[in-house]
Amino acid sequence: MRKIITFLTIITLLVSCKEEVVNKPERLIEKDVMVDIMYDLSVLDAIKYQNPASLDTFKINSRDYIFKKYKIDSAQFAKSNVYYASDYNEYKIMFEQISKRLETNKKSVDSLVKLQKNKKNAIIKKRAKQAKIGRDTTKIE
């Protein structure tokens, strides 16, 4: 009898763990859109900390901008965020997607910066060469 009660208790606990910890909000933001929102917030926060004057110059509040862009409000975002955070594994997958996007974009930006730097160096070398040629011709005359 004791074994049966213990067994039923364990099964009950396992089954109850499958239930949602947080109830699904009425206006839940779709998972893909939530990933986009969190990505955009990450980029804006990075901009804010790398170059604070850039957002202040244009008087941009990153959260307000995101809420307008995705047509959501702060309560809807907060409830959706809590809902997704209640499932650790899914939330982790969402953050991995964001990290991959950030890394991909970082590589793209790095390659553009390198290309821009190479162009700038080529222009500087060209001007230096032209200046040297210009100086050489004035000495000959």
Side-chain angles (χ1 to χ4, degrees):
M1 180 73 168
R2 211 175 228 186
K3 290 181 181 181
I4 294 174
I5 292 174
T6 305
F7 179 72
L8 289 175
T9 304
I10 291 172
I11 290 180
T12 304
L13 287 173
L14 290 174
V15 170
S16 66
C17 290
K18 292 276 185 181
E19 292 180 30
E20 293 179 348
V21 176
V22 176
N23 292 332
K24 186 175 178 178
E26 287 180 24
R27 296 177 11 209
L28 178 68
I29 299 169
E30 293 179 32
K31 188 179 290 187
D32 294 339
V33 175
M34 191 69 174
V35 168
D36 291 342
I37 291 169
M38 291 168 34
Y39 170 80
D40 286 349
L41 285 171
S42 298
V43 170
L44 287 171
D45 282 345
I47 291 170
K48 184 169 92 176
Y49 290 110
Q50 290 295 316
N51 189 3
S54 63
L55 293 178
D56 291 340
T57 301
F58 299 108
K59 296 181 179 162
I60 296 173
N61 180 329
S62 56
R63 293 217 179 251
D64 290 342
Y65 171 77
I66 295 298
F67 295 153
K68 286 179 185 175
K69 178 179 176 181
Y70 291 98
K71 298 178 179 125
I72 59 171
D73 58 36
S74 59
Q76 183 182 9
F77 174 75
K79 288 177 183 177
S80 296
N81 193 39
V82 168
Y83 176 76
Y84 288 121
S86 68
D87 184 355
Y88 172 77
N89 292 326
E90 284 298 317
Y91 208 55
K92 183 179 174 186
I93 290 169
M94 290 169 69
F95 272 96
E96 288 170 355
Q97 290 174 347
I98 294 166
S99 295
K100 285 178 186 175
R101 278 177 68 182
L102 288 170
E103 189 61 35
T104 301
N105 286 346
K106 182 181 181 294
K107 288 177 183 176
S108 298
V109 168
D110 287 346
S111 65
L112 289 173
V113 167
K114 186 177 179 181
L115 181 66
Q116 187 69 23
K117 196 179 225 182
N118 290 341
K119 284 182 180 180
K120 196 176 201 179
N121 288 339
I123 291 171
I124 290 171
K125 286 179 183 178
K126 184 177 179 182
R127 286 183 182 164
K129 189 176 181 181
Q130 287 174 347
K132 186 177 179 183
I133 292 171
R135 275 188 259 136
D136 289 344
T137 57
T138 56
K139 288 181 183 179
I140 294 173
E141 293 178 10

